[in-house]
Amino acid sequence: MDTLQQKLSKAAEIINKASYMTAFTGAGISAESGIPPFRGDDGIWNQYNPQVLELNFFMRQPEESWKAIRELFYGVFSEAKPNPAHHVLAKWTKGDLLKSLITQNIDMLHQQAGNEQAICFHGSSQYLICMNCDNRLKFKPSILETIPPLCPRCNGLLKPDFIFFGEGIPPKAYRDSFEAAQNSDVFLIIGTSGEVSPANQIPEIARHKGAQVIEINRDISHYTHRTTTLFLQGEAGTILPEIDLLLTN
Ligand code: NAD
Ligand code: ZN
């Protein structure tokens, strides 16, 4: 069994030779920025009922959903800053080493770190959308002074522009993600449990096409024994900077 140090060197070697590298991130990459993931010991679902993010529940009881959303997401996001893992990916993008970045996160931390083009597979918290007239508004804290927030144009119910359980993936994000996975010869899976579909099909596509799949996770995930070719166990904010130090180009 290789030691972590040997695995880090192997990862650096693979990344050095990549011609099309994609990274696919989940809530775990933002855990070290103070944003709790859904699952795991410190996960949100140990405290809240996931139905607050179901579209049907939201439409029936928007006030209750919005109270949870305001606390779980907007409150926490306003304090959070990108961590070293986000910064390394942004550096690799600038250096043209990372060609695509797909995130399941809605926290905008990749964008804050400089990855403005990150594909938001589940939408983002940056906009609110009117359920009545499709008006799209940029989020600002004053919008949440009344709960549920209402559309300034038509008084319709506003919903965050990230997808709830029961909603489809934004079509462009879907297309771009599957295309990136197909083009990849190196594919990084970072901080995601692999429990959310259809997002969890993206790494499978890359693997199926023959990509080397490097996974970074604190724990074993659904991918580890099925999709991953090199598993680096640890925290993304430590592992990614360590790999970065070992790169030659
Ligand atoms: P998840 O909550 O299902 O799993 C998180 C994964 O990250 C786990 O496998 C865990 O072991 C791992 N992890 C935790 N801390 C880590 C660290 N420091 N370094 C590396 N790995 C770490 O997350 P998911 O797979 O992204 O799926 C949940 C869904 O929840 C996504 O669709 C996402 O949109 C949403 N979500 C987003 C945020 C956010 O935007 N930051 C937060 C919570 C949930
Ligand atoms: Zn409206």
Side-chain angles (χ1 to χ4, degrees):
M1 184 73 123
D2 289 346
T3 63
L4 180 60
Q5 199 53 45
Q6 286 166 323
K7 288 182 175 185
L8 290 168
S9 305
K10 179 80 187 147
E13 205 179 291
I14 293 169
I15 291 171
N16 271 327
K17 289 194 207 134
S19 52
Y20 195 109
M21 180 162 78
T22 296
F24 174 67
T25 67
I29 198 171
S30 296
E32 291 160 81
S33 295
I35 301 177
F38 279 172
R39 297 173 190 82
D41 294 345
D42 43 4
I44 288 169
W45 297 149
N46 297 328
Q47 285 176 47
Y48 282 89
N49 188 334
Q51 73 176 7
V52 294
L53 289 186
E54 276 168 20
L55 191 60
N56 285 337
F57 183 89
F58 176 78
M59 298 306 283
R60 280 197 317 270
Q61 299 190 51
E63 193 177 330
E64 196 171 333
S65 278
W66 259 113
K67 276 187 188 148
I69 293 165
R70 180 170 61 181
E71 184 185 330
L72 286 174
F73 298 115
Y74 289 96
V76 187
F77 291 172
S78 64
E79 311 273 302
K81 303 247 171 334
N83 68 54
H86 299 101
H87 289 302
V88 166
L89 294 182
K91 178 183 167 191
W92 291 354
T93 300
K94 272 202 197 82
D96 206 27
L97 186 58
L98 185 64
K99 307 285 191 221
S100 292
L101 171 57
I102 307 162
T103 188
Q104 297 165 85
N105 295 344
I106 55 172
D107 56 28
M108 299 299 288
L109 291 184
H110 284 302
Q111 286 80 353
Q112 276 186 47
N115 265 120
E116 288 87 6
Q117 304 305 321
I119 302 170
C120 293
F121 197 76
H122 291 151
S124 89
S125 57
Q126 203 189 4
Y127 288 91
L128 300 181
I129 186 129
C130 172
M131 300 303 279
N132 183 45
C133 75
D134 284 340
N135 189 10
R136 206 160 171 264
L137 289 100
K138 193 149 189 198
F139 172 77
K140 51 178 193 296
S142 61
I143 294 181
L144 298 187
E145 278 164 12
T146 45
I147 291 286
L150 300 176
C151 173
R153 196 158 74 189
C154 78
N155 237 21
L157 174 63
L158 291 173
K159 174 190 162 295
D161 199 15
F162 54 76
I163 63 161
F164 283 25
F165 299 121
E167 283 191 286
I169 304 299
K172 185 172 173 0
Y174 189 92
R175 275 196 311 275
D176 291 351
S177 300
F178 279 75
E179 193 181 308
Q182 288 189 328
N183 288 336
S184 302
D185 62 343
V186 177
F187 193 91
L188 311 178
I189 305 176
I190 306 165
T192 169
S193 63
E195 288 186 33
V196 179
S197 175
N200 59 7
Q201 294 166 16
I202 300 169
E204 310 293 343
I205 288 171
R207 179 77 196 106
H208 190 69
K209 282 267 174 175
Q212 304 251 39
V213 179
I214 302 173
E215 179 181 11
I216 300 170
N217 198 310
R218 218 175 47 182
D219 301 305
I220 283 168
S221 77
H222 279 259
Y223 301 113
T224 312
H225 299 302
R226 201 172 54 189
T227 320
T228 303
T229 48
L230 180 63
F231 181 56
L232 303 167
Q233 185 158 18
E235 309 222 302
T238 308
I239 301 261
L240 280 166
E242 281 176 353
I243 297 174
D244 186 50
L245 284 175
L246 296 169
L247 295 181
T248 52
N249 48 15

